[in-house]
Amino acid sequence: MQLLEPWTLGGLTLRNRIGVSPMCQYSASDGLPNDWHRVHLGSRAVGGAGVVFAEATAVSPEGRITPADTGLWNEAQRRAWQPIAAFIAAHGALPAIQLAHAGRKAACAVPWHGGQPLPRAQGGWTPLAPSALSQQADGPVPQALDRAGIVRVIDAFRAAAQRAAQAGFGLIEIHAAHGYLLHEFLSPLANQREDDYGGVLANRARLLREVVGAVREVWPVPRPLAVRVSATDWVPGGWDIDECVALAGWLKADGVDLIDCSSGGLVAHARVPAQPGFQVPFAARIRREAGIATAAVGLITGAQQAQAVLAAGAADLVLLGREHLRDPYFTRRAAAELAVPLVAPEPYQRAW
């Protein structure tokens, strides 16, 4: 596999195997993306990436991490996303969106204002979770979802997926990582339910699989569908790679095309051995044992490093987050480094 060769996922062909990872901008008002999002995401499409993911986008107001998150729970938000998706597609990249529910990590201040839980007087709300367990010892206790609440979550993902299709996105990713709601259901550290959504792995995976089924109702094959997972909690007794491999096999049968392999985020005290490419082995094992395409992400910063991941057969797609914040034109720099011709947009061709 070559970094800059086309790749077909579901019914769509990406122009290369480089993706812009979804990265929260915390710059929306009432869930509405704005000029910041259009320029931020559009410049990465002009920069040559094969797929450009919009940030974690809440499927309901209570599913936001912060009051400044983007959303897709109403028609105004759908209309605001539409020109952004169109611009990304017009410049050769696949417009993608990550649909999310923050669970017990909801109702926080934006990171540059401390990221702490917001009281109601400052715009906060009661977070939702599988069980009434706070993420931190001194954190707010979330409200455990009852059956009716679970149905509302599933319905919200379905409705958001339908709006994503209408807005012109070509790829949906369901966020089931980083300690947010669907990951909370997966992990025994956050899920202590005694009903059909807790206990054994099949029960803990039930909500995610029901969400996938609901999304597939309005996002039919061959439209590509991805799921981001945390392959491990990095905590003994927590969610781990063995369970994640089993889950990936089930998700493949449910109609998922791609597993985006991240890790951590569930508990604050986890010790994450962050170093270049530290999550690539998860993508490699899931790809090999579950027989599903994977995306590698996490401290991948260079063209040669990304090419080595693909050459080793560890993943089918390489997603870069912070490196794309530093350099919207990473893909053009990678093409020059790997001596692969890459046509520039006409207004930029005099520079190439």
Side-chain angles (χ1 to χ4, degrees):
M1 292 184 285
Q2 297 297 314
L3 188 63
L4 291 161
E5 70 179 4
W7 177 54
T8 298
L9 177 67
L12 297 175
T13 298
L14 285 64
R15 61 184 171 185
N16 57 55
R17 295 174 183 264
I18 297 173
V20 178
S21 195
M23 294 173 286
C24 289
Q25 300 296 292
Y26 305 114
S27 300
S29 177
D30 297 322
L32 293 165
N34 51 46
D35 285 347
W36 175 267
H37 301 88
R38 185 170 184 172
V39 173
H40 164 68
L41 297 168
S43 63
R44 275 79 192 164
V46 173
V51 57
V52 176
F53 274 100
E55 63 198 80
T57 296
V59 298
S60 61
E62 65 275 11
R64 293 171 295 169
I65 307 165
T66 79
D69 285 22
T70 57
L72 201 45
W73 67 80
N74 64 38
E75 287 302 292
Q77 293 157 358
R78 179 193 63 77
R79 290 192 297 270
W81 278 118
Q82 195 161 357
I84 297 172
F87 186 92
I88 293 169
H91 290 276
L94 175 63
I97 192 164
Q98 185 186 66
L99 300 181
H101 190 300
R104 68 182 186 180
K105 294 177 78 173
C108 292
V110 298
W112 46 87
H113 290 160
Q116 297 304 309
L118 288 171
R120 285 189 175 273
Q122 296 179 24
W125 57 92
T126 301
L128 302 173
S131 303
L133 300 170
S134 61
Q135 188 198 22
Q136 305 180 52
D138 58 349
V141 177
Q143 176 183 324
L145 281 164
D146 58 16
R147 291 296 184 104
I150 287 174
V151 171
R152 285 193 294 271
V153 168
I154 296 168
D155 289 344
F157 272 95
R158 181 191 293 108
Q162 189 165 29
R163 292 191 183 97
Q166 294 165 350
F169 287 101
L171 168 62
I172 285 176
E173 178 171 271
I174 297 169
H175 200 347
H178 300 166
Y180 300 126
L181 183 66
L182 298 178
H183 180 188
E184 292 164 17
F185 268 85
L186 291 172
S187 176
L189 298 179
N191 183 348
Q192 295 184 5
R193 300 175 71 97
E194 297 180 352
D195 62 2
D196 291 345
Y197 291 89
V200 298
L201 174 59
N203 284 354
R204 285 182 280 121
R206 189 180 307 277
L207 177 56
L208 173 56
R209 297 187 69 187
E210 289 178 344
V211 166
V212 167
V215 168
R216 269 299 183 205
E217 290 174 11
V218 297
W219 190 263
V221 175
R223 287 186 171 186
L225 178 62
V227 172
R228 171 164 275 191
V229 298
S230 280
T232 177
D233 287 337
W234 298 112
V235 176
W239 177 255
D240 61 25
I241 183 59
D242 292 334
E243 290 190 315
C244 202
V245 169
L247 173 68
W250 295 341
L251 293 177
K252 179 182 179 182
D254 293 338
V256 172
D257 300 287
L258 177 74
I259 302 294
D260 178 0
C261 303
S262 190
S263 69
L266 186 86
V267 292
H269 63 274
R271 293 188 176 183
V272 181
Q275 57 184 327
F278 72 107
Q279 295 171 153
V280 172
F282 300 136
R285 182 172 169 190
I286 290 171
R287 185 177 189 268
R288 180 177 66 251
E289 296 184 17
I292 189 169
T294 60
V297 63
L299 293 181
I300 298 172
T301 59
Q304 298 290 348
Q305 180 191 12
Q307 177 58 61
V309 170
L310 297 175
D316 302 270
L317 179 69
V318 178
L319 298 178
L320 298 94
R322 289 176 176 84
E323 189 62 23
H324 269 120
L325 294 183
R326 290 185 284 265
D327 182 4
Y329 301 99
F330 170 84
T331 303
R332 299 198 175 279
R333 178 162 52 83
E337 183 177 338
L338 297 173
V340 176
L342 195 66
V343 177
E346 289 180 344
Y348 287 3
Q349 286 179 4
R350 59 183 148 175
W352 266 265

